[in-house]
Amino acid sequence: MGKKKKQGHNQAPSSQSSKKEEALTLQDQLNGDVLAKLKQAKKSLVEEEQAKEEERQARLAFERKQREKNMSFEELLDKFGDQGSKF
């Protein structure tokens, strides 16, 4: 039963400092122009997605109206039944 050598205390700070250096160098590499371009690209993608969602909602509303428009008398009677006013 031999003694175990302790590891880690000297290695941990160096690995943390290298991670900090990587983060700083990455941040340094991203200058204002690149950051602005990325923000603009994100904004345009969000706008595209919103436009697609609005188009999908409009298409669903149109299809619903078309189904109601093309209902047969039997389907209308089943749907609305005796809800109308009686004379």
Side-chain angles (χ1 to χ4, degrees), residues 42-67:
K42 180 181 177 182
K43 183 179 177 182
S44 66
L45 287 174
V46 168
E47 289 174 354
E48 257 184 57
E49 191 167 321
Q50 287 176 346
K52 285 181 182 180
E53 180 63 22
E54 289 174 2
E55 183 178 321
R56 186 182 73 82
Q57 292 292 335
R59 188 183 75 245
L60 289 174
F62 177 75
E63 289 174 357
R64 184 172 46 251
K65 286 182 181 181
Q66 289 292 28
R67 279 195 305 272

Side-chain angles (χ1 to χ4, degrees), residues 3-56:
K3 294 182 180 180
K4 295 182 181 179
K5 294 182 180 180
K6 292 185 178 181
Q7 296 178 359
H9 289 305
N10 292 338
Q11 293 176 355
S14 65
S15 65
Q16 288 177 351
S17 64
S18 67
K19 289 181 183 178
K20 288 180 182 178
E21 288 174 7
E22 287 178 20
L24 291 176
T25 56
L26 180 61
Q27 186 178 9
D28 291 340
Q29 289 176 358
L30 292 177
N31 59 15
D33 280 345
V34 175
L35 190 59
K37 286 180 183 178
L38 287 173
K39 286 183 179 182
Q40 181 62 31
K42 180 181 177 182
K43 183 179 177 182
S44 66
L45 287 174
V46 168
E47 289 174 354
E48 257 184 57
E49 191 167 321
Q50 287 176 346
K52 285 181 182 180
E53 180 63 22
E54 289 174 2
E55 183 178 321
R56 186 182 73 82

Side-chain angles (χ1 to χ4, degrees), residues 60-77 79-80:
L60 289 174
F62 177 75
E63 289 174 357
R64 184 172 46 251
K65 286 182 181 181
Q66 289 292 28
R67 279 195 305 272
E68 286 181 10
K69 181 179 171 183
N70 294 329
M71 280 185 175
S72 68
F73 181 75
E74 181 181 359
E75 291 170 330
L76 289 170
L77 190 60
K79 184 175 181 178
F80 296 108

